[in-house]
Amino acid sequence: MTPNAALLEHAAPAVVLRADQLRQFRELGYLVLPGFLPPDLVERMRPEVDRWVDDGLRARSIDSVRDPQRFGVPPVMELELPAHGELITHAPLLRVIDQLMGRAPYVFHHLHSDRQAPDVPGKSWHHDYEHGAQDDRSATMIHALHYLDGLDADTSSLVVLPGSHREHADKAARAHLGTRPLPGEVVLDALPPGSTVVLHSALFHARRPRPNDVPGKPRYFVDASYCEVGRLWPPVKPYWRYMLRRARELDLAPDRPELFAERHFSEYVRQA
């Protein structure tokens, strides 16, 4: 059995996580949930991703981050797309995060959605823990990476470095290595449609491009992140207050008052 096959067998898409799954996330910093999302949700999300990319909404949202004075808030945000909003608060997902957070309350941080072209370049080794105090990991941040069509030989792969979330390192500490193989890495390149990979946000990972001689296909990818409350988290979008307000107006999580609460964030500071 290959290491990847063992991972697929190990991480069943259960709502109640086993002790070994909890231990894996705590010690290794990630958990693989093959086929976790229900097919009907995946089918409703795919055309929303197409619209997000083809209608220029994704590019427009990026403009709103790069030049907020000129572009203001985007006309549409990901969470305003019905299936995307549903994904953020998908009950089985939140129950998984509940357990990985140790039942501590948490707040939604952001959602990104993309249909990555077959020739999308790699993304260098990095982590996504947003708090500037990288020497303090007392508060957990989690990224849920959703692969609507899964991962296979026709797409770029996800590569993770188990245990690296325990390091106190800057996000870009390994960026100079590009996407080259590292000792101890785990390559995730065989996941069925609707699979979710849950990362401790401080875990180093990379997107490794497929070989050039492989025809390739689009890679439907959506990621959402959640932060343990108890400290102020830096937002990554200048229109973060508007985003959280819209989530409340849409009543995305009526039974989770902390999930879209503004009080858990510091003021926005533009990243270099």
Side-chain angles (χ1 to χ4, degrees):
M1 181 181 291
T2 66
N4 203 40
L7 282 170
L8 296 185
E9 182 180 79
H10 173 72
V15 170
V16 178
L17 297 177
R18 304 187 306 267
D20 61 319
Q21 291 177 307
L22 294 170
R23 184 171 58 254
Q24 174 180 327
F25 183 81
R26 183 173 61 253
E27 296 178 357
L28 303 184
Y30 71 102
L31 190 63
V32 182
L33 303 172
F36 182 73
L37 300 179
D40 72 293
L41 178 56
V42 172
E43 289 305 311
R44 286 184 287 116
M45 289 200 63
R46 192 179 290 107
E48 288 188 356
V49 177
D50 287 335
R51 178 194 172 199
W52 182 250
V53 175
D54 295 336
D55 290 1
L57 296 174
R58 180 175 183 273
R60 179 64 176 75
S61 71
I62 293 172
D63 288 339
S64 292
V65 173
R66 290 177 174 170
D67 193 347
Q69 295 299 320
R70 177 182 176 187
F71 292 100
V73 300
V76 179
M77 295 180 294
E78 297 99 317
L79 60 75
E80 294 177 302
L81 304 175
H84 280 67
E86 183 179 335
L87 175 65
I88 294 171
T89 58
H90 181 52
L93 174 65
L94 294 189
R95 286 197 287 270
V96 166
I97 296 175
D98 287 341
Q99 296 167 78
L100 297 179
M101 289 282 190
R103 306 293 178 180
Y106 50 90
V107 63
F108 169 74
H109 192 270
H110 69 266
L111 180 74
H112 291 148
S113 183
D114 196 8
R115 185 190 66 212
Q116 296 162 339
D119 59 350
V120 64
K123 186 169 184 179
S124 299
W125 286 102
H126 68 286
H127 72 69
D128 294 307
Y129 191 81
E130 290 294 347
H131 210 282
Q134 295 294 346
D135 59 344
D136 180 4
R137 300 287 170 74
S138 57
T140 300
M141 183 178 188
I142 288 176
H143 271 65
L145 313 182
H146 306 288
Y147 299 93
L148 302 187
D149 286 347
L151 296 176
D152 57 35
D154 292 333
T155 65
S156 52
S157 56
L158 171 67
V159 194
V160 300
L161 192 62
S164 57
H165 64 301
R166 298 180 174 217
E167 300 175 5
H168 295 157
D170 184 76
K171 288 183 174 187
R174 289 183 169 90
H176 64 288
L177 301 174
T179 65
R180 72 182 64 170
L182 297 180
E185 70 173 34
V186 172
V187 180
L188 301 174
D189 58 2
L191 297 178
S195 292
T196 297
V197 181
V198 186
L199 303 182
H200 187 294
S201 300
L203 187 78
F204 277 91
H205 58 287
R207 181 179 67 233
R208 186 167 293 157
R210 61 180 181 78
N212 292 329
D213 57 349
V214 177
K217 65 180 182 183
R219 184 182 190 247
Y220 284 79
F221 172 69
V222 182
D223 80 81
S225 65
Y226 307 83
C227 303
E228 180 182 350
V229 304
R231 66 187 306 177
L232 296 181
W233 291 90
V236 294
K237 298 178 186 294
Y239 52 88
W240 64 275
R241 283 192 174 88
Y242 174 73
M243 177 187 72
L244 294 176
R245 185 174 77 247
R246 286 295 294 137
R248 296 194 302 270
E249 291 171 351
L250 292 167
D251 206 21
L252 293 184
D255 59 338
R256 290 178 178 260
E258 299 301 322
L259 196 60
F260 300 111
E262 297 177 10
R263 63 182 172 274
H264 302 302
F265 293 93
S266 58
E267 290 300 319
Y268 173 78
V269 177
R270 185 171 181 175
Q271 299 180 4

